[in-house]
Amino acid sequence: MIADRQIDSVAWAVQPGTNSNSRAARLVAGLTDGGAIRADARYYFHGRTEGSGATVNAGRVLPRIEAGTRSSAILSPVFDPTTARSVSWVDFYDDWSIAPDINPLHRRLAARTYHRVSRLGEDVLVTVNSPYMAARVKARNAVVVPNGVDEGIAHIQPEGDSRLRLVMLGNFFDGRTDWRLILDIARAVSFDEIVIGRPGASKSMQAVIHSLRADYGSRLVVSDWIDDVQLAQLSGSGTIALIPHTVSDYTLSQDLMKVYQLIGLGIRVVCPRLLWPAHLPIDHAFLVDFGASYSSIADWAASPPISERERQDFIRANSWSARGLMIQRLLEGIQA
Amino acid sequence: MIVDISIVVFRPDFEELRQTFRAIAAVRAEFGRLRLLVSGDAAVHARTRDLLSDVGIDAVVTERFDNLGFSTGHNLLLEESFRSDADACLVLNPDARLEPGALTALIAAVTSDGGEALYGPALRRADTDQVDSLGIEWTRDARHFDRGMGDPFVISPGRVEDVEGLTGACLLVPRIAYDRIVNRSGWFFDDAFLAYREDAELGVRAQAVGVPSRLVHVDGFSHVRAVRGYQRGRELPDLLGVRNRLLLKDRLGALRPGSRVISMVRDLAVAGAVHTVERRSKAGWDSARSIRRFVRSTSVVRARRASSGNPGRQMKVVYLGVESLDYPRNSRIRDYLEHELGAQVSVVRVDKNPGALRKAWVLLRDGHKAIGSGADVVVLAEFQNKYALVAKYLAWRARARLVTDWFVGLHETRVGDWKLHGPRSIRALILDLIDRTAARIADLVITDTDARAQDLSVRYRIPASSILTLPVGAPSWAVPSADVVAVRSEGPLKVLYYGGYLPLHGVDYILDALRITEGIDNVEVTLLGAGELRRGIEERVARERLSAVSFVEPVPETALADLIADADVVLGVFGRSRKAQTVIANKVWQGLASGRTVVTRSSPALEEIAAIVGDLLVTVDPGDPGALAAYLDDAVRHRPRRRDDTAAALEAYVSQRFMTFGDRVNRMVRK
């Protein structure tokens, strides 16, 4: 990429000093490695934290990028890309305008931004994470660039035993989590172990844990944090994961990153049918909807698991670096 | 016509299923493959397999432990069917029956009708003389019913009539109708529906994108109909009925058939019922409400209907100098103009008799007629740089914008590739002048790669803003075969070249490489096609005793797709001309879209797709045959990987470029 076309400022929601695993952080890291974003780019964020070094607190109410930047990337709809003349790339993931965990002001700003994206010229690349978001933003040329998986997990070997195990990873909160689905599945199948990671502080989740504890006793393991290595230690032929999301506009706007992480670690996934990432094959999914028979999950768990070759192929085809490269090529195509 | 049968089985009545399998076994000679999706636990899978075995019928069976639903299940099977060699697929319920000869009669009627619609046979209620369905009809309160249900079964054999929709219990889907519906509306059956009413939605959506539903009066099809979705009293069907009513409303918007007022009154009545007397269906209501933004915003037909309400008139395009309507690039651009931009496209064919002056005169004459009723855009077709002045004159007369498809230049082909004229000869200068004129007098130039666009911009001093890249892309037949395997580890390495033996292809380079390939005994090279230079290549192969090489005559596209699917490596182009440095050849697109490794010469043009296809694309130095030989030796030892996800990724990339083109044309016309 020619130096004067490099992106020299990035506006996003990532606070300085935080080690974010968000889509925005992953894509920006990939594009910085690829040279599309300058190594010394300025970062603008919205929030309360103080700015430091090359990061600028752009305020919470109407955050803006300073005039004078040559080329900027906007990865949060709280920033309005139509007010900055230098925008080269805009990426929107999840519908922030209806997100239950986003404050009302930022929801409103996000809705305004989605509406205004149609004003951007064709020299601005607009990428989104899901077909819903492609339709949500009013840009005809929005390109769906799905979420990805960290290539590093290719080197983490699954080493769990063959016990019938159900894994659930938070965050869990009202409005997104289907508490009934968790209980129904846990009661329809007698798991050897249920592991819940990052349960959070939701009262509803505490009630679910209480209920599961009554049924499973010590076979229920609750852990405040489960990283990839720990997940790999759980990943065996009988280990499956549940994504207990409600099906709503908000969850349909997401491209479930956990699915990528779990499949990448060799764990098959039970997921609401409409939420399965649109471009991923369904070979290792158990999709649930109205009238689902959860008892057949036990038979499914006993069927052949994800092979190591499938796991490696999946990681290769869906890595964050592949996504970054795709965006870089799209940017080069627009700039050519 | 090869017709597959697609059946989705969920919680089956096994006795009914046995009878259906028996009926299918009795007509085994009339269809291609039976594709079955069986949902349920291991016992259901085993019992279904036993039934198939008892009846003695072979089937491609997909077993799942979950329930994908009717729509997603059949979408999966249809995709598999059309990815292989089927020309049509019969969607059949597990409780539908067909008698010997009935399918053949239906196919004959469909073929004589043109095969571009959705077709359904007249369905009899099994073991009665009553109608089960003569298509779908809508009421004024936006409900839909099977036409003629319960009436005496009286048909007019051979008659084909338009209807509002067809029951999904027995629906014949020709490939062309499938492709049109999927390409224009995003999917075939709507995955938002789990069960019931998806067939009614399909009928309305298909009609909106130009695919009608036609009932064929043919006897021999019947339906047991275990579940009647509109008869209330069963919890799941009732709940889904409520949910689906709302989904239809949100998906179709103003396209939902019926009176808007009466439909709204019924919607309110349903809302009242689920909150009072039928609370068991409230979950269906809540479910549809919670995804209404998704359902509305991703509905292409709803958006199209909304945009067609704008006061702007239809754009008129005259497409000048078309040699073949089936040429992939020409066909795709016209299709985009017609169906995505809603333009009225008039085609002016180029005269097939020899003589440039004659052709110019015919184009002028026919072009005049075409612009008679006005034109907004004149497109000069690919290969027609020679007639740029004719196009410019017609555009001027019509006060239209001129778009030139500068796809193949005369100078680069005749001087660069074929070396018919010396580079400094008068003829070469004239050819260059023609190419330059074609590029400079256009309001917008389209070409096939970014590298080529940059080259044209520099060479002919055209502003970069006046050139757009419109990639060739891969045609719909170039998709991964159904039996994609990651790596084929046995047998010789199969290498395929296909094309017209053009200098651009550099077939001599391939032979040079084969001569020094150490593992040549494990390589099988097929050279497919015909062309002026083939005879010389054949002589060289015989002279140099390259026994690994075999020659194959040109084949139709479907057979070509099979050959690509069978290959481990597809060869691209290895010419060394300026043109070879800037193009992405059709065979490169097709090979990659088919999920096969493509080896081609290194070129800046490939950069735009390199990231999309990753290691499927291998480039070699066109000046060093040793590079290709080294690759083949390596591939013999480590067989190339195959992938099934490249076609969609490439298509997404090409679609984005077409959207940019569409925006530009729209803006030009508005100015």
Side-chain angles (χ1 to χ4, degrees), chain B residues 13 46 303 451 567:
Chain B
D13 174 333

Side-chain angles (χ1 to χ4, degrees), chain A residues 29-311:
Chain A
L31 288 171
T32 306
D33 290 344
I37 296 177
R38 289 172 65 104
D40 59 353
R42 285 180 81 83
Y43 287 82
Y44 296 81
F45 67 95
H46 47 80
R48 294 179 179 144
T49 314
E50 285 299 311
S52 61
T55 64
V56 179
N57 186 338
R60 295 191 71 207
V61 180
L62 283 170
R64 282 173 188 255
I65 305 172
E66 288 170 4
T69 53
R70 280 203 304 267
S71 175
S72 55
I74 291 183
L75 294 96
S76 160
V78 175
F79 288 93
D80 181 354
T82 60
T83 58
R85 265 180 280 173
S86 60
V87 177
S88 304
W89 170 43
V90 176
D91 182 80
F92 295 133
Y93 57 95
D94 305 354
D95 187 348
W96 288 28
S97 70
I98 53 170
D101 54 344
I102 300 275
N103 70 59
L105 170 66
H106 285 182
R107 277 192 226 164
R108 181 75 202 121
L109 290 176
R112 187 188 66 170
T113 297
Y114 297 148
H115 188 70
R116 288 185 173 181
V117 168
S118 62
R119 297 182 194 171
L120 295 172
E122 63 190 35
D123 54 341
V124 179
L125 173 66
V126 180
T127 56
V128 293
N129 66 328
S130 62
Y132 170 100
M133 287 305 293
R136 178 73 176 91
V137 300
K138 306 293 181 194
R140 282 199 66 198
N141 56 349
V143 182
V144 177
V145 177
N147 283 338
V149 63
D150 187 349
E151 279 170 312
I153 65 171
H155 307 296
I156 306 175
Q157 285 302 311
E159 48 193 31
D161 55 33
S162 60
R163 284 193 297 163
L164 182 57
R165 179 184 291 114
L166 180 69
V167 176
M168 284 174 275
L169 301 176
N171 297 331
F172 305 99
F173 52 86
D174 288 310
R176 189 176 77 163
T177 304
D178 186 343
W179 314 110
R180 186 81 252 157
L181 181 63
I182 297 174
L183 293 173
D184 284 350
I185 288 179
R187 284 167 186 162
V189 181
S190 178
F191 291 98
D192 295 326
E193 186 177 68
I194 294 182
V195 179
I196 299 177
R198 303 192 289 268
S202 153
K203 282 182 183 167
S204 304
M205 189 62 202
Q206 295 309 317
V208 166
I209 289 172
H210 183 73
S211 175
L212 291 177
R213 183 74 72 197
D215 293 340
Y216 279 81
S218 61
R219 289 186 292 143
L220 174 69
V221 179
V222 180
S223 177
D224 287 340
W225 181 256
I226 294 182
D227 62 18
D228 288 343
V229 174
Q230 290 165 316
L231 263 181
Q233 286 165 352
L234 296 171
S235 174
S237 59
T239 302
I240 58 169
L242 168 64
I243 303 222
H245 286 4
T246 55
V247 180
S248 67
D249 284 319
Y250 177 59
T251 51
L252 281 163
S253 76
Q254 301 181 309
D255 186 44
L256 303 177
M257 275 174 69
K258 282 196 188 71
V259 169
Y260 294 85
Q261 180 194 14
L262 290 161
I263 301 275
L265 286 164
I267 300 174
R268 291 173 287 166
V269 181
V270 180
C271 177
R273 188 176 63 90
L274 291 178
L275 299 186
W276 187 256
H279 76 289
L280 289 186
I282 56 174
D283 305 12
H284 297 297
F286 186 102
L287 303 178
V288 297
D289 207 323
F290 286 108
S293 172
Y294 302 129
S295 57
S296 52
I297 287 176
D299 283 352
W300 173 65
S303 67
I306 301 172
S307 70
E308 180 60 15
R309 196 187 71 197
E310 286 174 306
R311 189 176 83 89

Side-chain angles (χ1 to χ4, degrees), chain B residues 493-611:
Chain B
L493 180 79
K494 293 190 175 180
V495 179
L496 174 67
Y497 158 86
Y498 62 93
Y501 292 87
L502 302 177
L504 173 78
H505 297 172
V507 183
D508 273 316
Y509 171 92
I510 299 171
L511 300 188
D512 290 344
L514 294 177
R515 283 182 58 197
I516 53 175
T517 301
E518 289 173 6
I520 192 70
D521 292 342
N522 288 317
V523 179
E524 208 175 271
V525 183
T526 301
L527 303 184
L528 185 155
E532 276 183 45
L533 302 182
R534 173 170 158 174
R535 192 165 175 189
I537 295 292
E538 281 178 328
E539 286 170 2
R540 188 179 158 193
V541 166
R543 195 169 55 244
E544 295 178 8
R545 295 180 181 167
L546 291 169
S547 56
V549 177
S550 59
F551 292 86
V552 174
E553 295 303 318
V555 295
E557 286 171 350
T558 47
L560 179 57
D562 289 341
L563 286 167
I564 295 174
D566 192 43
D568 296 302
V569 176
V570 174
L571 297 175
V573 298
F574 303 96
R576 298 174 69 178
S577 65
R578 185 171 185 155
K579 185 164 124 192
Q581 291 173 34
T582 56
V583 297
I584 305 176
N586 272 317
K587 60 175 119 291
V588 173
W589 285 103
Q590 291 157 6
L592 292 171
S594 301
R596 297 300 181 263
T597 293
V598 173
V599 187
T600 192
R601 61 152 291 163
S602 54
S603 133
L606 297 168
E607 284 179 11
E608 62 189 83
I609 56 167

Side-chain angles (χ1 to χ4, degrees), chain A residues 140 249 273 285 287 291 299, chain B residues 11 64 66 191 290 294 659:
Chain A
R140 282 199 66 198
D249 284 319
R273 188 176 63 90
L287 303 178
D299 283 352
Chain B
R11 292 179 185 167
R64 290 200 61 95
D66 54 5
D191 290 309
S290 66
F294 168 79
M659 280 196 284

